[in-house]
Amino acid sequence: MLRSLVGSEMCIRDRYCPLILGLIICFFGGSYLTLIAAIECVRLVVWQRMYAAFKVLAVNYNAAYEASKRDDLIDDDNNGVADVLEISKKELLTRKIYLFFRTVKPDQVTEALSTIWMGLLSVVATLRVDFAQAVTLGCSLGEICDTHCRKYLEPAMGAFLPDDLAKWAPVASGYIFRTLGCMLAWMIKRFITGFHAAMRGADMFVSNAIILAKKNGYVNESFDTNGPQASALISLVAFVGFYWQVSNNFGLPFPLNILMLPASIVEWVLSTWVALI
């Protein structure tokens, strides 16, 4: 019975979670430009090292947890009451902190934390380069447009502005075109991110759906997850997901914006962090 429950839980974790996550990425990935880029950066660059570091931290945490459980049973004065129940909260906190540092291996914990921190910094650096590329491309595009269109916009702005402010017309023209260029570059980047998210999510969804269908007897075991039929399904789901994103202007309609609020908060935090650091 217990083995059956454990097997069901592993199946849900290994198959149904990627299935649902694939759909979310496929239909809403374009709304999370920075988050998707961060996840892809972690997956491609530092995931193996960070995963190993988290395993090391988990091993040390479990060792400290087991030591804490044994400590809770200690009764040095043999009065039938555990020592941890006879001390104040401050003394208990000091005792547990001391036990933690005595149990864990400092070299392993320090190296693991350093690996995780360096991985996070590499993600931030990659995101900043990505952001800088979009801004640079936008400014360059705006400069080109300003060079060729200034002769039309500058006289109109000069006529609109008061005589004593007409000298600002060339500067304002340059700012306007650079701003429009950055907006266009960011829009193109969002389209690229949305298309990538649609393809990635569709691949996750279809691949895991085929595996589940095989397991439940809905699809023949000989069905190739990398064959032309699977590729056609992935393309179809990706097209529907990308069309949904574009038709909703890469936004989330109500009530999906409420359901996806945690991801939106993470996206905002990442975007702010990248812009400020």
Side-chain angles (χ1 to χ4, degrees):
M1 177 69 176
L2 180 59
R3 186 174 299 177
S4 176
L5 289 174
V6 172
S8 300
E9 182 180 352
M10 291 182 64
C11 178
I12 292 173
R13 182 191 65 191
D14 296 338
R15 296 302 174 202
Y16 286 101
C17 287
L19 190 79
I20 297 172
L21 182 61
L23 273 182
I24 292 174
I25 294 174
C26 180
F27 282 84
F28 312 123
S31 302
Y32 304 103
L33 189 150
T34 310
L35 180 59
I36 294 293
I39 292 173
E40 284 296 304
C41 178
V42 170
R43 186 183 68 85
L44 294 173
V45 180
V46 296
W47 171 243
Q48 294 298 328
R49 286 178 291 161
M50 291 185 70
Y51 180 69
F54 279 119
K55 286 180 67 175
V56 170
L57 292 179
V59 169
N60 280 271
Y61 170 80
N62 288 331
Y65 179 72
E66 293 298 326
S68 178
K69 287 172 60 178
R70 293 192 297 269
D71 181 64
D72 291 340
L73 302 177
I74 294 177
D75 181 19
D76 287 335
D77 53 8
N78 296 316
N79 64 349
V81 180
D83 293 343
V84 295
L85 300 177
E86 297 180 307
I87 57 179
S88 65
K89 292 183 178 180
K90 183 179 180 180
E91 292 173 327
L92 178 62
L93 178 61
T94 303
R95 177 178 177 136
K96 292 301 182 181
I97 292 175
Y98 178 77
L99 177 66
F100 173 81
F101 283 106
R102 191 180 64 191
T103 305
V104 301
K105 298 180 179 179
D107 53 340
Q108 292 185 359
V109 173
T110 302
E111 185 177 355
L113 290 175
S114 298
T115 300
I116 294 171
W117 178 245
M118 292 303 296
L120 292 175
L121 288 181
S122 66
V123 171
V124 172
T126 302
L127 293 178
R128 289 217 59 175
V129 169
D130 206 28
F131 177 79
Q133 286 177 341
V135 173
T136 303
L137 176 63
C139 289
S140 178
L141 181 62
E143 187 175 352
I144 294 173
C145 293
D146 183 43
T147 301
H148 294 282
C149 301
R150 176 183 293 182
K151 57 184 177 182
Y152 303 109
L153 181 62
E154 190 175 328
M157 294 188 65
F160 175 77
L161 294 172
D163 293 339
D164 54 345
L165 296 179
K167 61 183 180 180
W168 284 94
V171 178
S173 173
Y175 278 124
I176 289 174
F177 281 113
R178 284 174 175 79
T179 301
L180 292 176
C182 288
M183 292 174 61
L184 180 60
W186 200 251
M187 185 184 304
I188 293 172
K189 184 169 180 57
R190 188 168 291 279
F191 269 87
I192 294 172
T193 302
F195 182 74
H196 166 265
M199 291 297 297
R200 171 70 67 185
D203 182 60
M204 291 176 61
F205 173 75
V206 172
S207 298
N208 286 278
I210 292 174
I211 293 173
L212 287 172
K214 285 182 178 180
K215 184 176 181 179
N216 292 283
Y218 297 122
V219 174
N220 195 292
E221 286 291 336
S222 61
F223 191 92
D224 186 7
T225 54
N226 296 318
Q229 292 177 311
S231 298
L233 283 174
I234 292 172
S235 299
L236 178 61
V237 174
F239 172 79
V240 175
F242 185 63
Y243 177 78
W244 165 272
Q245 294 184 58
V246 174
S247 61
N248 285 278
N249 197 25
F250 298 101
L252 297 175
F254 181 83
L256 294 175
N257 56 347
I258 304 299
L259 296 175
M260 298 296 291
L261 183 61
S264 300
I265 293 174
V266 174
E267 169 72 13
W268 179 81
V269 170
L270 281 175
S271 301
T272 305
W273 191 18
V274 170
L276 293 179
I277 291 181

